[in-house]
């Protein structure tokens, strides 16, 4: 694996960084306080090519790989974890699922609108009673002629209210039976499809998280992706790629917190010298820098395997697990370095701290990542 960042990736990072500083940073705390989902910013990112990073150019996408994608997510998350989360969910989950498993007609119909941010995408697997236990989901899809009728509720869905289309995984077989779920594309405005409760969250408050409700929602069989019963297998493959994006999100948050703490430690003086001169602070910064670099290497390894089409379930789980835990630790240490100021909303580290925790939960908790890693190690 080549550890050098190529010129294209460097330029993409700089362009994304400039965009985030100009169009996101001035409004971060406003959006956080009001829990506003800034749709207009995503429209602008669509024009910049950030909403279809992995999508081939023939469908209107940027046609880039996972190294570039990881860089984009990081640069956005260094400024705002909420926008980074929504960007990752749109690209990896909804758009990624259609790209990987949609037929040509579905790709032609939906991918250009998703990449241009004409459509914001949502992806529904989790339910109130089934998080990791997806095989026991209650949302069902029953065949009726040439249609499917969906009933049930999905929760913790990014863009559950504002998403224009959603990829929904519904049970088409008996609970816990093998191959009992199927993936469907559902458009907003379809009768019986509505948004439900919006969550009032600790962090990531500008990234909309809400229920999606299906009440005798009738969709054509043309909106089914893949064969009946393949939905859960598809989801696991989608989540593998998605875990790289959440790892990148966590890394961006960690980098943002670290850079703020490093700058502050050089400016803040106590006993007539910068606090960076004190070993207690410098050792914290050393640990933060080391952990960030280790997380970055794990992400690069997973991204490299994904780009090459190689199996990367273990590598993606390792990257997501480690990077998300690092984000929490680094942002916690950043607050400590800032002291009392770090506990206020006048400085950025308290938001990094709040946002970081979601990374250890979303797209599979740290505990689930350990199960995945252990299974891969033991079956090697």
């Amino acid at each position: 694996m080549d550890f050098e960042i190529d010129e294209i990736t460097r330029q993409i990072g700089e362009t994304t960084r400039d965009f985030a500083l100009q169009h996101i940073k001035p409004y971060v705390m406003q959006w956080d306080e009001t829990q506003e989902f800034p749709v207009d910013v995503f429209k602008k990112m669509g024009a910049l090519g950030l909403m279809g990073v992995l999508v081939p150019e023939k469908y209107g996408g940027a046609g880039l790989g996972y190294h570039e994608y990881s860089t984009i997510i990081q640069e956005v998350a260094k400024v705002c974890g909420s926008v980074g989360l929504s960007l990752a969910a749109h690209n990896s989950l909804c758009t990624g699922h259609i790209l990987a498993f949609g037929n040509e007609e579905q790709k032609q119909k939906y991918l250009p609108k998703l990449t241009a941010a004409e459509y914001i995408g949502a992806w529904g697997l989790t339910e109130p009673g089934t998080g990791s236990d997806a095989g026991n989901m209650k949302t069902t899809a029953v065949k009726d002629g040439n249609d499917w009728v969906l009933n049930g509720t999905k929760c913790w869905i990014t863009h559950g209210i504002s998403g224009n289309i959603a990829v929904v995984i519904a049970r088409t077989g008996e609970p816990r039976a093998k191959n009992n779920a199927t993936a469907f594309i559902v458009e907003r405005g379809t009768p019986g499809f509505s948004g439900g409760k919006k969550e009032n969250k600790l962090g990531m408050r500008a990234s909309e998280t809400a229920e999606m409700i299906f009440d005798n929602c009738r969709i054509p069989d043309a909106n089914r992706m893949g064969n009946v019963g393949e939905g859960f297998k598809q989801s696991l493959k989608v989540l593998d790629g998605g875990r790289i994006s959440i790892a990148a999100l966590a890394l961006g948050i960690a980098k943002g917190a670290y850079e703020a703490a490093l700058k502050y430690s050089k400016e803040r003086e106590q006993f007539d010298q910068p606090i960076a001169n004190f070993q207690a602070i410098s050792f914290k910064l050393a640990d933060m820098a080391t952990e960030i670099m280790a997380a970055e290497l794990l992400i690069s390894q997973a991204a490299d395997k994904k780009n090459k089409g190689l199996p990367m379930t273990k590598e993606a789980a390792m990257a997501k697990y480690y990077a998300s835990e690092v984000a929490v630790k680094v942002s916690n240490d950043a607050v400590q370095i800032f002291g009392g100021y770090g506990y206020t909303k006048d400085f950025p580290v308290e938001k990094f701290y709040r946002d970081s925790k979601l990374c250890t939960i979303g797209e599979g908790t740290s505990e689930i990542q350990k199960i995945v890693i252990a299974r891969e190690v033991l079956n090697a």
Side-chain angles (χ1 to χ4, degrees):
M1 184 170 62
D2 187 358
F3 292 96
E4 291 295 321
I5 299 175
D6 62 56
E7 186 59 27
I8 292 177
T9 304
R10 193 185 312 278
Q11 289 177 1
I12 289 169
E14 290 176 357
T15 300
T16 306
R17 187 181 312 125
D18 291 344
F19 177 89
L21 292 175
Q22 180 180 352
H23 297 286
I24 299 174
K25 188 174 182 179
Y27 311 102
V28 166
M29 293 313 297
Q30 172 189 326
W31 295 337
D32 184 76
E33 293 284 350
T34 62
Q35 300 193 70
E36 177 186 350
F37 176 55
V39 175
D40 287 347
V41 165
F42 290 89
K43 302 289 186 184
K44 292 175 182 176
M45 287 196 287
L48 198 61
L50 304 185
M51 297 292 276
V53 180
L54 304 167
V55 176
E57 292 180 18
K58 69 176 182 177
Y59 301 119
L64 300 172
Y66 269 80
H67 291 302
E68 296 89 348
Y69 180 38
S70 171
T71 299
I72 288 166
I73 296 296
Q74 286 177 55
E75 291 297 340
V76 172
K78 281 168 66 174
V79 174
C80 180
S82 296
V83 177
L85 173 61
S86 281
L87 184 63
H90 173 93
N91 274 280
S92 290
L93 298 181
C94 180
T95 305
H97 200 138
I98 296 172
L99 177 62
F101 298 105
N103 59 37
E104 187 60 27
E105 182 180 347
Q106 291 165 344
K107 291 177 183 179
Q108 292 282 0
K109 182 176 181 180
Y110 294 112
L111 290 179
K113 292 183 178 180
L114 286 163
T115 59
E118 182 180 342
Y119 281 178
I120 302 295
W123 191 78
L125 177 66
T126 304
E127 298 183 1
T130 58
S132 303
D133 185 19
N136 196 33
M137 68 177 68
K138 300 297 188 290
T139 299
T140 59
V142 177
K143 190 76 181 295
D144 183 21
N146 290 323
D147 294 337
W148 291 85
V149 180
L150 274 62
N151 281 286
T153 300
K154 298 292 183 179
C155 68
W156 307 112
I157 308 304
T158 305
H159 315 144
I161 295 171
S162 297
N164 303 98
I165 68 165
V167 172
V168 181
I169 318 303
R171 183 165 55 80
T172 48
E174 294 300 315
R176 301 200 183 283
K178 190 175 181 179
N179 301 325
N180 72 342
T182 304
F184 301 91
I185 301 171
V186 187
E187 299 184 27
R188 188 71 62 179
T190 302
F193 175 32
S194 61
K197 175 190 175 187
K198 180 178 177 178
E199 303 297 338
N200 186 8
K201 300 173 297 185
L202 169 71
M204 302 290 196
R205 288 168 60 82
S207 178
E208 180 187 275
T209 304
E211 293 178 325
M212 293 193 303
I213 299 170
F214 303 92
D215 182 11
N216 290 320
C217 177
R218 183 176 291 269
I219 59 172
D221 187 59
N223 284 34
R224 170 176 51 84
M225 278 198 289
N227 296 325
V228 174
E230 291 182 343
F232 189 57
K233 289 181 179 178
Q234 293 175 9
S235 297
L236 291 178
K237 292 179 181 178
V238 169
L239 286 169
D240 273 349
R243 283 166 182 160
I244 296 176
S245 71
I246 298 301
L249 173 70
L251 181 60
I253 291 170
K255 285 183 175 181
Y258 166 72
E259 291 174 8
L262 179 64
K263 182 175 183 291
Y264 181 80
S265 73
K266 294 177 180 180
E267 297 171 348
R268 170 69 166 172
E269 290 193 357
Q270 292 288 275
F271 303 100
D272 303 318
Q273 59 182 308
I275 62 172
N277 290 352
F278 300 119
Q279 191 177 75
I281 302 300
S282 65
F283 276 17
K284 277 188 188 299
L285 293 167
D287 284 341
M288 293 158 81
T290 302
E291 290 159 354
I292 284 171
M293 183 169 287
E296 192 155 27
L297 290 170
L298 282 171
I299 294 168
S300 294
Q301 177 181 237
D304 185 62
K305 289 204 165 192
K306 180 68 173 175
N307 282 343
K308 293 175 179 176
L310 299 173
M312 38 64 77
T313 297
K314 178 181 71 175
E315 289 78 8
M318 285 179 169
K320 196 271 186 188
Y321 165 55
Y322 186 75
S324 62
E325 295 292 338
V326 163
V328 174
K329 183 178 183 301
V330 167
S331 59
N332 178 62
D333 286 345
V335 171
Q336 196 69 20
I337 288 171
F338 269 79
Y341 292 112
Y343 204 65
T344 72
K345 294 184 182 294
D346 294 328
F347 293 85
V349 290
E350 70 86 30
K351 183 176 183 297
F352 287 126
Y353 183 50
R354 288 186 290 109
D355 287 348
S356 67
K357 187 58 191 169
L358 185 277
C359 297
T360 70
I361 298 169
E363 292 199 34
T365 62
S366 291
E367 290 73 21
I368 288 296
Q369 305 312 314
K370 289 182 182 181
I371 291 173
V372 172
I373 295 164
R375 183 180 63 224
E376 292 292 316
V377 168
L378 292 170
N379 289 337

